[in-house]
Structures are given as C-alpha cells and as structure tokens.
Amino acid sequence: MKKYIYLSLSLSFLMACGDADVEEAVVEQEVVPTTEILERAEKAQLVFKTIPSPLETVTLFKEAGVGYNSNLTSPVENVRNYTESAKKAINLGVYGADLSFANMFDQTQESMFFMNCAKILADGLGVTSAFSVETMERLETNMNNRDSLLILVNDAFWITDAHLKENGQDHISTLIIAGGWVEGLYIGASSINPENPSKAMMQRVADQKYSLNNLIELLDTFENEDLITFSNQLKELQKVYDKIGLKKGKTSVKNNGGSYTIAGGNELTFDSTIIAEITAEIKKIRNEIIQ
C-alpha cells in the first residue's frame, strides 16, 4: 500500500513598511494529520493487508476448484448506466475483478471487454492516465501474455488509486476496493454447487469473515452518504458471517530438516447452510451494485 505522505506547505508573502524595501519571506507551515486521517490511514493499511485483491481472490477460488463462468460476470452493456461517481467507482472495482477472472482463465475477448469498461469508468472519474491510449495499446499487445497483462492491469489500478488519493478522493478509491472485493466473493460463492458443496470452496468463502469486518471498519471512517449506505448493506452480510464460529486450537511447529511447517491454530466452524445464506446475501448486494 502506498503510504500517506504529509507535506509541509511554503507560504510566500510580501511585507512592506512605509518606504522600506519590499522583503520576501518564506514561512513553512507543517500540515499535521488529523486523528481522523490517521485512523483512516491505519484502517486502510489493515484492509490492504487482509483483503485480497480481485486477482488474489480469483486465484484463491480457482485453486479451490472454481471454473470460468461468463454468466457470473457483470454485463458490459451496463457500463453506460453508471453516471454518478459512486456508481462508477464501485463498478470499476467490479469490472476489475471480472477482468482478473477472465485473465486467469485466458478469456482473451472477454478480458478486452472488461478492460474497455474499466477505461470508460476510470475516464469518467477523471483518471484518464490509468488507461491512456498508450496503456491500452500495450494491453492489447500483451493480451495473450497473462503475466504481462496482469502487471499492466495492476499498474493501471495503482495509478487510479494514487490519483484519487492525491486529489482528496479517498472515498472513491475505497469504493473501488470494496466493489472488487464484493465481486470476487460473489463469483466464488456463486460457483459452489449447493447439491455437493466443495469443502475447500466453502472454506474460502468463510475465510472472508475477517476481511469483511476490516472493510466495514474502513467504510465507517467516512461520513460520505454513499459509503454509509454501502456499509449498511455489508453489515447485513456481516450478520450472516457472525454465525460462523471459532474453535480455538493449539499451534504446532514441525521441523522438516531446516524448514518449518506451522499447523493447527484457531479454526472457523460453519456448515453448508451458513455458506448458502452468505451466498444469497452477497448475490443480493452485488446485484444491487450493478443495476
């Protein structure tokens, strides 16, 4: 995560006394971060540490057995429906997750569709540098090179994040993060077969319990109406996640000829009914987002 940087401001002013020569003085005034800013920075850092990026989320679910399903991605034709900044931001996160999903499974054509959606929304937020003509050309050139493409897409989203924060739009950046997280969880949870649920996939869904808590805490540091509304939606999901229990266990460390394996520790306890409830709630939230 990029660190918050607080700069001192230099204020130049002229002082004149009668017919005396004009003197120029420079006064440096340090901008002291408020408690609110520091709290938000701390929460943001925690969120970045605990919430997997859209790419990481998709990777986790792929490893657990999720396959590509185009029916789970957000319709590209919806992109023109998002006219408000909050809607553009949260759906930029959604399309970012869909882009990672398509990239992970080498869906070249769909990757380009989602990339174009991301460009439209980033431009709408005033971040034209993220998906510039040059960047789009490089993306097209590397469309069949997954590793290079993922790096370029990641860079584009970092540019977006940095631009928004530098321009005092932290709330917009936060909505992008939240939108990506919701879409990643939606894709993973929706891929679970209710008739024969995979234990590994259910575990991945359950593991998002702590990420959700941290995301809500970050959203609650803002007094922005859009973030308050979204936080309230996620708190309904949190109520379901609260049904997941925690079994405390002992941690063991095994020496494997110089390398160590850590096993045991606390374990989340849940059943397929709880995961089904989580799936239903995240579907509801996600479908409201993309409308």
Side-chain angles (χ1 to χ4, degrees), residues 151-163:
I151 292 172
L152 290 169
V153 170
N154 184 65
D155 288 346
F157 275 87
W158 271 120
I159 290 172
T160 301
D161 178 74
H163 174 89

Side-chain angles (χ1 to χ4, degrees), residues 14-23:
L14 299 178
M15 299 179 62
C17 299
D19 295 329
D21 293 334
V22 175
E23 297 180 357

Side-chain angles (χ1 to χ4, degrees), residues 5-290:
I5 301 175
Y6 303 100
L7 303 176
S8 60
L9 301 179
S10 294
L11 174 65
S12 297
F13 61 96
L14 299 178
M15 299 179 62
C17 299
D19 295 329
D21 293 334
V22 175
E23 297 180 357
E24 179 176 307
V26 177
V27 177
E28 290 192 357
Q29 180 179 349
E30 183 180 359
V31 179
V32 180
T34 64
T35 302
E36 179 185 7
I37 291 176
L38 289 174
E39 178 185 358
R40 186 174 299 158
E42 184 178 346
K43 294 293 184 186
Q45 187 176 31
L46 184 59
V47 166
F48 273 100
K49 285 181 178 178
T50 59
I51 289 189
S53 68
L55 173 59
E56 290 169 334
T57 301
V58 171
T59 302
L60 288 174
F61 285 117
K62 182 182 180 182
E63 291 174 349
V66 170
Y68 188 75
N69 182 351
S70 60
N71 293 325
L72 295 179
T73 56
S74 182
V76 295
E77 60 270 19
N78 284 7
V79 70
R80 298 292 182 184
N81 298 338
Y82 310 131
T83 56
E84 299 176 357
S85 293
K87 272 286 190 180
K88 290 176 183 176
I90 200 165
N91 281 284
L92 176 53
V94 168
Y95 284 125
D98 290 339
L99 177 55
S100 296
F101 188 35
N103 283 342
M104 185 59 62
F105 290 91
D106 299 316
Q107 300 294 313
T108 304
Q109 186 174 24
E110 293 206 20
S111 293
M112 182 54 72
F113 289 154
F114 296 132
M115 204 173 301
N116 287 330
C117 288
K119 173 177 172 51
I120 290 170
L121 295 178
D123 287 350
L125 292 170
V127 194
T128 56
S129 57
F131 293 91
S132 62
V133 174
E134 180 183 356
T135 299
M136 292 301 289
E137 289 176 350
R138 292 177 65 193
L139 288 168
E140 289 183 25
T141 301
N142 290 276
M143 189 54 66
N144 294 316
N145 186 331
R146 182 197 301 169
D147 292 339
S148 295
L149 187 63
L150 291 175
I151 292 172
L152 290 169
V153 170
N154 184 65
D155 288 346
F157 275 87
W158 271 120
I159 290 172
T160 301
D161 178 74
H163 174 89
L164 292 170
K165 285 179 175 158
E166 288 170 5
N167 288 276
Q169 294 179 291
D170 295 42
H171 64 293
I172 296 295
S173 181
T174 299
L175 283 173
I176 295 173
I177 297 168
W181 181 85
V182 166
E183 183 75 350
L185 177 57
Y186 164 78
I187 290 172
S190 299
S191 299
I192 295 176
N193 182 351
E195 301 300 324
N196 185 26
S198 161
K199 175 68 174 178
M201 288 171 64
M202 289 195 297
Q203 183 67 55
R204 294 302 188 192
V205 170
D207 288 341
Q208 297 304 306
K209 174 183 175 75
Y210 301 111
S211 297
L212 173 61
N213 292 342
N214 291 327
L215 179 57
I216 289 174
E217 287 185 14
L218 175 60
L219 290 168
D220 285 346
T221 65
F222 293 88
E223 295 181 359
N224 178 278
E225 183 178 346
D226 293 314
L227 274 75
I228 292 172
T229 299
F230 190 50
S231 176
N232 289 336
Q233 289 178 295
L234 292 182
K235 284 174 183 175
E236 293 302 310
L237 176 62
Q238 189 179 44
K239 290 177 183 178
V240 184
Y241 264 102
D242 285 343
K243 296 180 181 181
I244 294 177
L246 181 66
K247 179 181 178 181
K248 293 186 177 295
K250 295 182 178 180
T251 301
S252 62
V253 180
K254 182 179 180 181
N255 187 339
N256 302 308
S259 62
Y260 295 87
T261 302
I262 300 176
N266 297 335
E267 179 183 353
L268 295 175
T269 58
F270 56 88
D271 56 31
S272 59
T273 301
I274 295 175
I275 300 301
E277 289 183 45
I278 290 173
T279 302
E281 190 62 36
I282 195 63
K283 284 183 178 180
K284 177 182 175 183
I285 293 171
R286 185 269 190 173
N287 289 335
E288 289 180 6
I289 286 174
I290 67 171

